[in-house]
Amino acid sequence: MVKHLRTYALFFQSLFILPLAQAQVDQWDWTPKESLTTEQRAQLSRYCQGSYISNWKATDTKGTNLAADLIVRDENGVIHLQGEAEIIQPQSTLSADDIEGIPDDYYLATGNVTLRSENQLIRSSTGYIANSGDAPTVFKDAKFLSHQSGARGEAKSLSRNQDGVVFIEEGFFTTCEPNEESWKLYGSSIKLDPKNGFGTAKHVQIRIAGLTVFYFPWLRFPIDDSRQTGLLFPSFSYSGSDGVSFSAPFYWNIAPNYDATITPQFIQKKGQGVDLEFRHLSPYGETVYEQSTFSDNDEGEQTLLKLKSTQKFNQYFSAGFLLEDNPTKDKYPEANSTSIGEKDHYERSAYFAFNNGNFLNKLTYLTYQTPNDKNDEPFEWLPRIDSSYRIATSFLDYKLDVQYTDFYDPAEDNFDGQRTVFNQNIKFDLGNDWGNFTPGFLTQYRDYDLHSYTTDSDSSTSVGHLTSYVDSSLLFERNFLNNQTVWRQTIEPRLNYLYSPFESQNQIPDFDASEPTMTYSQAFSHTRFNGNDRIGDTEQVTLGLESRLYDENNNEKWAFKAGQIFYLEDRYVGIDGRTDKNTAIDDSKRSDLLTSANYNGNRYSLTGNLNYNLDDSEVNLAQLVASLEPVDDIKINLSYLYSINNTDPDDDAKQASIGTIFPINQNWSMFTQYTYDFLREDGTKEIAGLGYENCCIKVSMSYQHWLNDDNEFDRGVFLQFILRSLSSAGRANNKANNIADSYWNQGKVGY
């Protein structure tokens, strides 16, 4: 008896996957929120109205104690416990109106049967507990509860054989509170195999608010943390352009170190397809193969492929590769649950790396597939070798970067060649607690061996350069009282001097040069261009001022930054490489006024950037992101972006967005979002929806109208819900980021 009653504690830990039935609140050790202690209430989510509290405690009693109004042993050795019968053991307690049985053989309990153990409870009308032989343990009209997980329910019959396999007939399971059962999982016949870690069920229904939303003739599911083969929950949506969309993933646990997920896809107005993800785990890393194939009614087959592996052999050596492919020539699967998206260029690369802390080396081989012949094919690396070394002390910081790349032009219609790069950065830290003074030197050398396809000729060129700079700053701070607490304010003026003399680069090609967006942080950079082809010329002084406010807990509340570059010389080196000492490509004497502000408060957060041209009295960049919670549970998200006068007009942007969430009552919320593009003079995103949430379910339904990737408007209705402790179903709009996804918040309680 002792052995088997203890076993029930392990068995009941699996009850979160059992189907069970309706029960009264007082049968479930349920305690309303008002009766909980302060500590217990603090552990509840905002939507939960109480908690399961077990007052049962393990005892120090050794062996088995019997208690009843009357205890009788008959001539056959059967013990009869009549009236408030109870069998008390160290790890469990069995009670009933009457209990009879033979110790170490069986017990038969009738009337108000209750079996308790740590965080577990079972109640039934009758219970037969077998302690030996092949007879199963059986409970009739059983009610189950796991206090820790909050899973509970009922079954007409629950039995357990001597091998530990559990059989349940006609039952349901839910994690909802007794006074608010939003969802239930029903099953006519359920088998649980704790040794193998899985269960099977027949005629499974998932009911929400009493309505059956899913039916499975047969379902296999895990009852522990081990991975199990079986159906995952399907997803669905409806939109004007697609009609009904549906997918039903199937998970295949092939072996302990590899598995697969197969996802059939169906779109009513487009076609059908299937996605595949195969994962393999080695002692050194992971390899993942993905494939998405869709048969479009109009375009035919659309396929994307991806194979990725990352392996770390020890603390020094690692390797990996990535193979992406679009074999259907610029066609992209309409339905795609993999990580492969629509791209202009698909990567095929492999690397091998050695990392010894301050000494890093990496060999990379990189090619691309370009599905659309109209797109320019990027340079390939055949191969690239990177090596860097750094030594840093309290006084000296030295870094050496060496890179060799064999660039190849796959179109063979322009140029390619080999490039060798040597970059050395040495700086001296002469600062202290109240200030910083850091002079430094940056040496840059490039050597090229080039081939021109237009003239079918070879050439060599090189360039060497020395840049000098000084970074300096002072730190002032003061304490002040704010509502009887001590806050701290800092003011940090910054000054940077950068001298990068002109060097002719007419013969230097452009393999990977780009021009960064000018921001406050970029103003203090020691280079004008990204990449290793362009060495920007400049002599400039950058002035900056930063101020921060810290609260009594040393949390940053406010941060203000403002800076400007003052140019002492015109700039002659441009991104295209054409340089003429007599013709400046930029003769402005100063940059925009670059400002930034951040605020982190209890109810408000703000991030803002503003670039203002003092010469032309115009704004070139204005960016604002704000999150407000003026009162509890009301959310307002604001954003604005104004970016004009970019090098590429396609990068110009002028749009504003507002998203709001307003609670209707304790459980219902309304959310909206509107995005307006001032350049298009049209709204590009409109969303209106409702969300419902309680302790065990979360539902959102929204109408969305948005500008899609084809620059056309689409609309749809999206329904999504989460059954806490079970799974999620439905589908959000994965084609347009929106506040519906934010409200959904990955299923977490509260927004």
Side-chain angles (χ1 to χ4, degrees), residues 303-365:
T303 298
L304 290 175
L305 307 172
K306 180 179 180 180
L307 176 63
K308 182 178 182 180
S309 179
T310 56
Q311 308 291 322
K312 186 173 183 180
F313 306 109
N314 54 40
Q315 61 178 332
Y316 303 113
F317 294 98
S318 61
F321 62 83
L322 173 61
L323 301 176
E324 296 178 331
D325 189 58
N326 181 345
T328 49
K329 292 297 292 183
D330 211 26
K331 296 179 181 179
Y332 309 97
E334 185 68 27
N336 183 356
S337 61
T338 70
S339 66
I340 330 167
E342 180 178 343
K343 297 181 180 180
D344 291 335
H345 312 287
Y346 289 91
E347 182 179 334
R348 289 96 176 267
S349 65
Y351 73 89
F352 181 80
F354 170 80
N355 185 346
N356 189 24
N358 59 344
F359 184 42
L360 287 78
N361 299 273
K362 186 176 183 181
L363 172 67
T364 306
Y365 186 92

Side-chain angles (χ1 to χ4, degrees), residues 142-157:
K143 299 177 176 65
F144 307 92
L145 169 67
S146 171
H147 297 81
Q148 189 171 8
S149 66
R152 62 178 180 82
E154 298 181 5
K156 283 188 176 181
S157 173

Side-chain angles (χ1 to χ4, degrees), residues 155-184:
K156 283 188 176 181
S157 173
L158 181 147
S159 62
R160 175 185 178 276
N161 65 23
Q162 297 300 318
D163 294 329
V165 178
V166 177
F167 300 88
I168 295 179
E169 302 294 333
E170 298 295 336
F172 77 84
F173 146 76
T174 184
T175 58
C176 296
E177 298 175 330
N179 53 0
E180 192 170 7
E181 295 180 341
S182 299
W183 69 267
K184 297 178 182 178

Side-chain angles (χ1 to χ4, degrees), residues 239-270:
S239 71
S241 61
D242 295 343
V244 175
S245 299
F246 180 83
S247 65
F250 174 78
Y251 177 77
W252 183 14
N253 183 34
I254 305 172
N257 63 328
Y258 51 95
D259 58 18
T261 302
I262 304 168
T263 306
Q265 304 276 6
F266 171 78
I267 301 180
Q268 181 182 7
K269 297 182 180 180
K270 296 294 180 63

Side-chain angles (χ1 to χ4, degrees), residues 455-727:
T455 62
D456 192 23
S457 61
D458 297 324
S459 63
S460 298
T461 187
S462 62
V463 60
H465 194 272
L466 175 64
T467 298
S468 57
Y469 60 87
V470 176
D471 294 324
S472 62
S473 64
L474 294 173
L475 181 62
F476 302 93
E477 65 176 51
R478 70 183 182 98
N479 295 332
F480 64 96
L481 287 177
N482 181 33
N483 294 329
Q484 305 303 314
T485 61
V486 178
W487 283 39
R488 180 167 59 93
Q489 179 187 14
T490 65
I491 296 179
E492 184 179 2
R494 297 182 61 183
L495 184 147
N496 167 272
Y497 172 77
L498 175 63
Y499 178 61
S500 179
F502 169 82
E503 187 73 34
S504 177
Q505 297 169 51
N506 286 326
Q507 304 302 318
I508 304 300
D510 178 9
F511 288 116
D512 57 13
S514 63
E515 194 166 5
T517 302
M518 182 56 67
T519 61
Y520 175 83
S521 298
Q522 178 62 30
F524 292 91
S525 174
H526 302 143
T527 58
R528 282 180 50 210
F529 300 104
N530 297 325
N532 281 317
D533 287 318
R534 289 292 164 264
I535 302 176
D537 62 319
T538 186
E539 185 177 6
Q540 65 186 48
V541 174
T542 304
L543 298 178
L545 182 66
E546 302 179 11
S547 180
R548 293 176 173 82
L549 288 176
Y550 299 88
D551 64 14
E552 67 276 12
N553 297 317
N554 206 36
N555 297 316
E556 183 180 288
K557 306 299 288 185
W558 278 100
F560 302 94
K561 301 176 183 178
Q564 191 170 23
I565 303 174
F566 296 89
Y567 299 104
L568 307 181
E569 294 286 346
D570 295 340
R571 275 76 63 212
Y572 299 93
V573 179
I575 193 69
D576 60 3
R578 293 190 298 269
T579 56
D580 184 352
K581 184 60 176 175
N582 298 316
T583 305
I585 59 102
D586 188 349
D587 60 1
S588 58
K589 300 303 179 184
R590 57 183 177 178
S591 70
D592 293 347
L593 179 62
L594 310 169
T595 63
S596 174
N598 293 280
Y599 171 71
N600 296 296
N602 296 329
R603 292 190 176 273
Y604 307 91
S605 65
L606 170 72
T607 299
N609 297 286
L610 179 69
N611 294 359
Y612 184 74
N613 190 316
L614 296 172
D615 297 323
D616 299 332
S617 299
E618 64 181 14
V619 175
N620 287 331
L621 173 68
Q623 190 176 27
L624 175 69
V625 177
S627 178
L628 301 84
E629 187 180 1
V631 297
D632 289 343
D633 304 327
I634 292 181
K635 311 288 185 181
I636 302 175
N637 295 334
L638 303 171
S639 66
Y640 177 78
L641 174 62
Y642 176 93
S643 179
I644 306 296
N645 299 326
N646 292 290
T647 305
D648 186 351
D650 292 337
D651 294 335
D652 288 349
K654 187 179 179 182
Q655 63 181 30
S657 178
I658 178 172
T660 62
I661 298 177
F662 290 94
I664 300 173
N665 55 31
Q666 170 68 19
N667 302 103
W668 286 92
S669 297
M670 177 180 68
F671 54 91
T672 64
Q673 183 173 343
Y674 181 74
T675 301
Y676 185 82
D677 192 311
F678 295 93
L679 299 180
R680 289 180 55 94
E681 297 183 347
D682 196 3
T684 58
K685 190 181 299 181
E686 301 174 15
I687 298 170
L690 289 174
Y692 175 83
E693 185 170 4
N694 62 27
C695 198
C696 70
I697 194 171
K698 190 170 186 176
V699 181
S700 70
M701 184 176 69
S702 62
Y703 168 81
Q704 302 181 28
H705 180 263
W706 73 97
L707 188 68
N708 62 27
D709 295 336
D710 296 326
N711 209 30
E712 298 177 353
F713 281 98
D714 200 355
R715 65 187 64 192
V717 176
F718 298 87
L719 174 66
Q720 194 176 15
F721 55 87
I722 281 180
L723 313 180
R724 302 199 195 283
S725 300
L726 184 63
S727 186

Side-chain angles (χ1 to χ4, degrees), residues 76 142 182 192 207-208 225 229 294 335 367 382 447 463 489 511 588 654 700 713 730:
N76 297 319
S182 299
L192 307 175
R207 299 180 184 177
I208 297 179
D225 294 335
T229 297
F294 190 83
T367 63
L382 308 177
D447 183 81
V463 60
Q489 179 187 14
F511 288 116
S588 58
K654 187 179 179 182
S700 70
F713 281 98

Side-chain angles (χ1 to χ4, degrees), residues 4 88 119 188 545:
H4 293 289
I88 304 172
N119 287 319
S188 64
L545 182 66

